[in-house]
Amino acid sequence: MTQLLDTSAVPDVVLEAGRLFQAAGHDLSLVGGPVRDLFLGRVSTDLDFTTDATPDQTLAVIKGWADAVWEIGREFGTIGLRRGDMQLEITTYRAEAYDPASRKPVVAFGTELADDLVRRDFTVNSMALRLPSLELVDPHGGVRDLHARLLRTPGTPQSSFDDDPLRMMRAARFASQLRMDVAPEVLAAMTDMAARLEIVSAERVRDELVKLINGADPRRGVEIMVDTGLADVVLPEVPALRLETDSAHHHKDVYQHSLTVMEQAVDLERPEGPVIGPDFPLRFAALMHDVGKPDTRRFSDDGAVSFRHHDVVGAKLTRKRMKALRFDNETIKTVTRLVELHMRFYGYGEAGWTDSAVRRYVRDAGDQLDRLHLLTRSDVTTKNKRKAGRLARSYDDLERRILELAEQEELAAVRPELDGQQIMEILGIGPSKTVGQAYNFLLELRLDEGEIGRESAEARLREWWAANRPDDDSAKNAAPNESETGL
């Protein structure tokens, strides 16, 4: 629930800035999200202001007061600064619009606060506090809409989204972050104008998507994206999960299942622990884990449906989409690895977990083991309580086995007991593909039998060499890469 505005919660630095600009003969107002958050009982350390001062005039006012200043947004009228532990952005009153053929905003500076507020994205962000008087300016009913938990635009939705099509993504993001409903006329405009999102840079879209997925209710945000067609532009693999069924072929609703898995993954996050929420890689992997199913769906004569290798196909599709959205390589690697491994547990569930299987599971998960634990547990959405309980107990047993073996071995860094250099010395060969083959043989031996000691490992290597030694000089061919030899 929203509450009355508590002006006592306004940070001192806000009032200081207001007095500085007032003394210099300029207007200054706290605006947008920070004002909205005051009604929600939250205080942000990132503060947005709007002013009638030009960027040059702003720089003159804050000179000597700001601890640091940056001008990266100067061409858009924005001057950034740091004062203590607070980040401030001060922007000249402006109009902002998109050229239909351009991804860059066209900026014109304004002279009135009212004109600035009407050009903002939503009414809940179109409120301002004049400084230093703390007079609330709310010409578009932002307080009313905040109490109603409703997202509306100050002007028409069409003009707002024409100004900046990314605002359509922002609507879905705020629905997730603030658990708000989107007004019907706004949803209608989003549906009609979804294709306009194509002109927005991938980086800006990516940033909004991350905020949406990390919100309090990401399911709501994703559903809005899918229902309005925004997801067809941003994340087409997700609406593609709405697979058609017929009377002869029944299977789980993959789209709804994926949304539920994401919700359950959110519920498993903790403020402290190995996976601290909100955790984007876990949540996004949960949403994308089955995107390989549409391409791998096969029907058998008895009506059964299979999705063989959908984990591998899904990882490839996820990697391609994340690259298109300009995610960094580390995040792409993390999410795609989770998608690729999300079925690994089910390959062992019935047969039981041998020590060898446990070692391979830990080795393959690497530093994503904790996230994989949560993703796998989240991927149980059956309403059959007996089946769900059996799967939970099986995974409990797997985690117990991992802990037991970890006490005996360094599972997270399982390596052969001989490295590439030692292999070459024992076999009397130089760098070659054969060294990589020998290394892989010893790695499999290590996974199957655990630690057997260097002497035993050397003896087994010589046995392998006797059976696999080339008849010619092929062992002296081109050197392998480091991953083949463990060097």
Side-chain angles (χ1 to χ4, degrees), residues 373-407:
H373 286 331
L374 300 191
L375 176 59
T376 304
R377 287 186 180 278
S378 301
D379 196 18
V380 178
T381 61
T382 178
K383 295 181 180 179
N384 185 321
K385 293 183 178 180
R386 180 176 296 181
K387 181 179 180 181
R390 175 173 55 80
L391 289 171
R393 288 190 296 274
S394 294
Y395 208 84
D396 288 343
D397 181 61
L398 169 59
E399 290 200 68
R400 178 183 58 79
R401 294 288 305 285
I402 290 173
L403 290 174
E404 288 176 351
L405 276 177
E407 292 177 356

Side-chain angles (χ1 to χ4, degrees), residues 3 6 69 72 76 84 118 120 172 237 245 257 264 306-307 334 405-406 443:
Q3 58 188 38
D6 180 10
V69 176
I72 191 170
F76 302 114
V118 77
R120 293 186 175 266
E237 295 80 8
T245 60
H257 164 74
Q264 294 183 166
S306 65
F307 303 96
T334 296
L405 276 177
L443 178 58

Side-chain angles (χ1 to χ4, degrees), residues 292-321:
K293 282 190 171 180
D295 288 348
T296 59
R297 183 169 63 161
R298 300 292 183 270
F299 300 118
S300 62
D301 293 339
D302 62 2
V305 181
S306 65
F307 303 96
R308 292 190 62 190
H309 305 304
H310 77 271
D311 43 357
V312 177
V313 172
K316 292 180 179 178
L317 291 172
T318 300
R319 180 178 293 106
K320 181 179 179 181
R321 180 55 49 198

Side-chain angles (χ1 to χ4, degrees), residues 181-246:
D181 295 321
V182 182
E185 69 274 14
V186 177
L187 286 173
M190 292 166 65
T191 303
D192 291 342
M193 302 176 67
R196 282 274 287 151
L197 195 59
E198 293 176 351
I199 74 167
V200 181
S201 71
E203 291 83 0
R204 295 183 73 211
V205 171
R206 174 203 64 209
D207 291 346
E208 288 297 324
L209 178 63
V210 170
K211 292 174 183 177
L212 183 157
I213 296 297
N214 282 347
D217 190 358
R219 180 175 190 142
R220 183 183 303 204
V222 172
E223 287 177 331
I224 289 172
M225 286 181 60
V226 171
D227 292 345
T228 59
L230 292 178
D232 292 325
V233 178
V234 177
L235 212 59
E237 295 80 8
V238 173
L241 292 172
R242 297 176 295 182
L243 300 177
E244 295 181 3
T245 60
D246 56 44

